[in-house]
Each structure stands twice: as C-alpha cells, then as structure tokens.
Amino acid sequence: MNSKSANYYMSVEQLSNLAGSDIQGLVPILDWDENEYSFAILDCFEQSLRKSQRLLFVIDEQVELLTTEGIILSQHARPDTRFVTGFQEGPVKEALTGLSPLRALLTVASGTMRNGKLSLIDNEGKTHTRAGLRELMPISGKAVVLITPQGLRGYDQALDDLTAHIRTSGGTPLTAGNLYRMIDHACVDYVAKPTIEIHQEETAFDTATNLIDSYLSIVRMNEYGIIHDLDTEFLHDYRIALRKIRSILSLFKGVYDIDQAHQLKIRFSALMTPTGPLRDLDVYLLEQESFYSLVPHTMHSGLDAMFSLMRSRRTDEQARLAIHLKIGRYKKEIKALTKLFSKKRKLKPGPNSSRTSYDFACELIWKRYRKICRLAATINVATPDQEIHQLRIECKKLRYLMEFFSAVFPQEPFDSLLKSLKRLQDSLGLFNDCVVQQINLQTFVDGLSDEQHQLEITQSIGSLITILYQRQSAEREKITNAFVRFSSDRMQRSFRTLFQSRKEF
C-alpha cells in the first residue's frame, strides 16, 4: 500500500462536533465499518519516530508507517519483531533505516481500531470530498481519531474547506503534535541528554544540583528497561547518567562541602559497580559482526564458541542485575539520593558554592584545556598506553564540563570548539577500544577452564588480539597528529578568547 495525504488527529468528541454541522453548505456524513482490528503503536524509548514526525502501527499482521509527507507505507510484519533489523525486506524497513538498530520498538499504546469515512455531500447526494478515519480505542488511555482528508478531482475548494474545518474543530497535524500524550497524558518524553537551563549569574551550587537532579531522573527512567532487558541502551544510558553525576561531584570542586562530596562519590560509585559485568558483555556481543570480519573464516568456529559462552554469561549477569535493581536496599538508596538533590535542604555548600556559573565555568574549562595542552606536548609514537589513556580521561572531563555549561556561552564559537574536541575523542576512543579489548580478551582466555571448545576459542582470540594490536599501532600516529591540531596556536587563541581572554596562557 502506498498513498499520499495529510494526517490529523483529534478526540472522539471533537470528531462529533466536526460531523455535527454543515461545512460551506455541504452535509457531513459519518460512516463506520463494522469490523474491528487489533492495533499497536510502536516507537523507541526516546520516541525517535514521534520526534521525526512519523507514526508506526502494527495492525494485525501488517506494519504501517505514516511519513512526514503523508505517505502511508505498509508491509507484512512478524508478530515477534522487536527491532527494525528484524523486519522483513520491504518499504517500511527501508524507510526506517536511520532508526537505531540498538533500540527496541516498544508498545506506546495498543487496543482495537475501526475504520470509517467522513464524506461531504451536496443537496443532490454527490460527494465533493471525504476523509479517511481511524478510531483508536486503546486498552488504557483516551480514544483518538486519525483523519486523512482525501480530495476528489474537480472539488479542490471542498477539500480546502474540510481541512480548514478539521483544524478549527481541534484537529492537530500529526507532524506538529504529540499523539502519544493525547492518548496518555502521563506519556514520558525521554531525553538521554537533557538541555538544562543555566543562567550566567546562577550560582555554581544551583547549577551542579540541578544537573545532578536531572541526571538522576534519567537513571530512574532507565531502571525498568534494564530489569526487563528491553534493549542494551537502557543500561548504557543509565551508566552514562551516573558517570556524569560522578563527574560533576569531582569537577565542580568546592561547590559542595568536601566531606559530603567525598561520601556522595562513594555512594554513586557503589551504584555503578554492579552494572560493569553486564555492560562489558553487551559491548562484546554488539561487536560480534566486527570481530568475525577481522579474522579468517577458519577461526570463526572459535568465535562461535566464545560468543555462545558470552551469551550464556550475559543471561546470568542480566538476571543478577535485575534482582539488584528490585531489592529494597537499592530502592532505598536511589530514593534517598533523588530526594537529597530535589529538595536540596541537606546539601552542604562549599567555598565555591556562591560563585556565578559563568565565572566558574570559564575557570574550570580553561584549566582543563591548559592541562591537556601540556600533556599533549609530550605525546609521540613511543608514548606508553597509560599516558594516552590519561589524556583520554582529561579530554572526557573537558567535554563533560563544556556540555554541562554550554548554555552560558555564545553558541557558534562554543559548538565549534566542542566539535573539535569530539573529533579528538573519536581517535582516542578507537585507540582505547583496541587496548581494552586486548586486555579483556586475554583475561577471558585466562579464565577459561575445561571449556569444551577451549583450544578453538584460544586460537581465535589470539588472532583477534594480533589484529587489534596492529590497529592500535595505526591509531597511535593519528592521535599524535590530532593532538597537534587540538593544541595549535589557533585553537589556543579560540579557547582563550572564549574562556580566559584576560589571562596569559
């Protein structure tokens, strides 16, 4: 199926009002089919489809996509499909190629639906225009109607009149509204990287506290997806939010009382620790295709055995983490931390707490950049891995600081510097991945004991480690060149102008 039209939605009550009066002398006739169908609206947790102004349906055994252009694409769907990559080849799958393959398609709403049409008839019984209708009756939530005006040749004015009447009767264009929220007012609008309003004169204490409060909300929103293993990105976002909280506590020196800040770092680190084993396994399983491409086909049987063992271990780790997140001790701790940063009353200010966000940000970012430049001056092809790793950590701290305070600086020059930093981090990330994977793969081999395919696994991993070492060596020279660019005179002037124009480098 492939048709083109505009799409609107409104409540059942608004449709009744729309159909209850003549439109420019034409009589509206409402007609519903007798048949009902099961439906489900699907989207990723962060509502990627809604934010791209599209709507994805499963109707019985068909999947339909309403596009921004008003085109309706349709194809057969298997009922157990959870990811776009699992769709059969067809127009819907092709249109969704930009959707993350790591995010599961979750049910936003489900229930029954019926089709109908609204026709505008003249006094001779002739139809001038019509609209296709879909009434969605969810199991829970408010019923809504999708409306698609359809023009008939020679009656353009009637189509314009109907469209105008739909709008004045409360119809919202599908591309401009939030259908999910009309169905369920409590529908969460999840953003993994929230934009937090910060004013230049806001205190560093308020800025840090508001940031941590926002990231704690992200932590809480991802718990359900981790417990039920909906997709691997829930744990990924959960860990990033905790990592940013710990970075705020470490980087915003003197904003909180030193003893309280120390205790908070310990508490947040304790939340992060149980998530490590599962995330490590996720990373390797997500890299499965890449690993197969790196080694000869004769080594694939060893990788088969390795990934089979990893999947088994992942099942155990996921169950262990799910239990951890459901127990009273964890719930009590995360609720206490959430209350601490939302209420603020028991947070103890430090000596830098009353400094303005702008001045504090300039000092922190400038000092961190200067430190990176000093370290970068010593980097060459013979630099030990540990020193490059330390530079990577410093760059990550700088990026976090810049992202935390982005709202208090002019956008264009700030974004340009941040973009340069991200390019540097890409090189450092590739290098670090090669180093870490070699270490972890060797640890995996060392931990094998009496495995049925131990020899095959060992040989395959040995081949992988060799190739990863070669990649690491190739990346090292790229990193050296990247740091030369990032600490160049031009880049230093740009940082100085934005963050420390009155001080000498």
Side-chain angles (χ1 to χ4, degrees):
M1 178 180 176
N2 190 325
S3 61
K4 186 169 183 178
S5 55
N7 295 286
Y8 298 83
Y9 66 89
M10 60 173 48
S11 68
V12 175
E13 295 77 16
Q14 288 169 330
L15 176 65
S16 297
N17 293 333
L18 172 67
S21 59
D22 291 1
I23 302 173
Q24 298 300 323
L26 299 174
V27 179
I29 304 295
L30 193 58
D31 183 31
W32 292 104
D33 292 347
E34 293 183 359
N35 295 329
E36 291 188 352
Y37 308 90
S38 62
F39 84 92
I41 297 174
L42 303 182
D43 207 338
C44 305
F45 183 56
E46 71 274 31
Q47 300 180 10
S48 302
L49 287 166
R50 180 188 68 78
K51 291 172 183 176
S52 65
Q53 302 178 342
R54 295 177 291 178
L55 184 63
L56 184 64
F57 276 111
V58 173
I59 303 172
D60 288 340
E61 295 185 357
Q62 290 290 117
V63 60
E64 291 188 0
L65 179 69
L66 277 65
T67 70
T68 54
E69 298 83 7
I71 296 174
I72 303 175
L73 304 174
S74 178
Q75 68 174 71
H76 179 73
R78 289 188 289 262
D80 59 343
T81 303
R82 294 183 58 231
F83 295 86
V84 171
T85 51
F87 281 1
Q88 297 175 352
E89 296 302 321
V92 175
K93 181 175 183 178
E94 183 178 352
L96 295 178
T97 51
L99 210 63
S100 171
L102 303 181
R103 297 251 59 157
L105 293 169
L106 308 176
T107 300
V108 176
S110 64
T112 57
M113 61 167 284
R114 59 175 179 164
N115 295 321
K117 63 182 177 180
L118 178 70
S119 304
L120 296 189
I121 309 296
D122 64 17
N123 55 12
E124 295 181 353
K126 185 178 295 185
T127 300
H128 285 229
T129 190
R130 65 171 61 96
L133 307 176
R134 280 181 174 173
E135 183 180 9
L136 309 179
M137 296 164 281
I139 296 171
S140 62
K142 184 178 180 180
V144 298
V145 181
L146 287 173
I147 306 177
T148 305
Q150 300 166 350
L152 299 179
R153 182 174 296 178
Y155 295 105
D156 292 345
Q157 185 58 51
L159 175 62
D160 291 343
D161 292 340
L162 174 60
T163 301
H165 202 58
I166 289 172
R167 287 178 175 271
T168 57
S169 298
T172 303
L174 187 62
T175 57
N178 191 335
L179 174 66
Y180 303 170
R181 196 158 290 156
M182 176 172 273
I183 295 173
D184 180 5
H185 289 297
C187 185
V188 175
D189 187 5
Y190 174 75
V191 180
K193 297 180 179 179
T195 301
I196 299 164
E197 192 72 26
I198 298 174
H199 302 289
Q200 288 193 353
E201 299 305 312
E202 185 175 335
T203 67
F205 178 87
D206 285 341
T207 295
T209 304
N210 291 337
L211 284 166
I212 292 175
D213 183 47
S214 296
Y215 287 120
L216 272 168
S217 296
I218 295 172
V219 169
R220 300 308 313 272
M221 291 194 316
N222 280 285
E223 290 169 348
Y224 181 88
I226 299 170
I227 291 170
H228 295 278
D229 202 19
L230 299 180
D231 65 43
T232 58
E233 291 298 279
F234 285 95
L235 178 58
H236 182 52
D237 286 0
Y238 178 96
R239 283 170 55 84
I240 288 177
L242 283 178
R243 189 178 297 126
K244 288 186 175 180
I245 291 171
R246 291 164 61 194
S247 294
I248 293 166
L249 292 169
S250 296
L251 297 174
F252 286 44
K253 296 185 184 300
V255 168
Y256 299 116
D257 170 79
I258 187 170
D259 292 331
Q260 186 178 45
H262 177 68
Q263 288 302 316
L264 287 169
K265 289 178 197 176
I266 293 173
R267 292 171 70 179
F268 281 109
S269 293
L271 294 182
M272 179 76 89
T273 300
T275 68
L278 179 58
R279 181 56 190 172
D280 289 343
L281 289 166
D282 281 345
V283 168
Y284 281 103
L285 290 169
L286 291 171
E287 288 288 328
Q288 185 169 332
E289 288 187 19
S290 173
F291 281 177
Y292 277 107
S293 69
L294 292 177
V295 299
H297 186 77
T298 53
M299 296 286 184
H300 284 192
S301 60
L303 294 185
D304 291 340
M306 180 184 78
F307 285 118
S308 176
L309 185 57
M310 284 184 173
R311 281 189 290 271
S312 177
R313 291 182 180 179
R314 187 197 181 279
T315 299
D316 295 338
E317 287 296 340
Q318 194 281 325
R320 188 176 295 112
L321 182 57
I323 291 171
H324 166 75
L325 294 178
K326 290 189 288 186
I327 62 175
R329 187 167 63 252
Y330 170 80
K331 288 183 176 181
K332 182 179 179 181
E333 173 68 347
I334 196 68
K335 286 180 181 178
L337 288 167
T338 301
K339 183 178 179 181
L340 178 65
F341 284 94
S342 62
K343 301 296 184 183
K344 302 182 183 180
R345 290 190 300 268
K346 294 185 179 180
L347 287 172
K348 301 175 184 178
N352 288 326
S353 61
S354 60
R355 295 188 60 181
T356 66
S357 291
Y358 178 76
D359 289 341
F360 194 52
C362 285
E363 179 180 309
L364 293 179
I365 293 170
W366 178 247
K367 283 184 176 179
R368 190 66 53 181
Y369 177 67
R370 284 198 303 168
K371 184 175 182 179
I372 289 172
C373 288
R374 288 195 298 269
L375 291 172
T378 67
I379 294 294
N380 56 52
V381 293
T383 300
D385 295 346
Q386 186 57 37
E387 291 185 26
I388 295 179
H389 176 64
Q390 184 58 42
L391 256 173
R392 175 178 167 272
I393 292 174
E394 295 298 330
C395 288
K396 180 179 288 188
K397 290 177 180 178
L398 176 60
R399 178 173 173 179
Y400 280 167
L401 281 172
M402 293 180 70
E403 289 177 342
F404 293 151
F405 289 110
S406 61
V408 302
F409 294 100
Q411 183 175 356
E412 188 173 340
F414 185 90
D415 287 349
S416 177
L417 293 179
L418 190 57
K419 186 176 181 180
S420 298
L421 176 58
K422 288 177 180 178
R423 283 198 297 266
L424 174 59
Q425 281 191 291
D426 288 342
S427 294
L428 287 167
L430 290 173
F431 181 88
N432 185 69
D433 287 347
C434 290
V435 173
V436 171
Q437 286 172 354
Q438 290 174 69
I439 295 171
N440 289 347
L441 286 170
Q442 187 59 56
T443 301
F444 184 85
V445 169
D446 295 341
L448 294 174
S449 58
D450 300 324
E451 295 292 341
Q452 183 178 359
H453 302 284
Q454 183 173 349
L455 179 59
E456 289 177 286
I457 294 174
T458 301
Q459 290 174 335
S460 296
I461 288 180
S463 179
L464 261 180
I465 289 174
T466 299
I467 294 169
L468 288 170
Y469 178 76
Q470 293 170 350
R471 282 191 166 189
Q472 173 193 340
S473 300
E475 277 305 318
R476 185 185 293 274
E477 185 172 351
K478 294 179 183 178
I479 287 173
T480 303
N481 294 332
F483 271 116
V484 169
R485 290 191 296 271
F486 192 67
S487 59
S488 67
D489 290 342
R490 182 187 65 81
M491 189 66 69
Q492 289 186 27
R493 284 194 300 271
S494 297
F495 267 88
R496 183 185 293 112
T497 299
L498 197 56
F499 303 111
Q500 200 73 6
S501 58
R502 296 184 305 275
K503 293 187 178 182
E504 293 296 325
F505 184 74

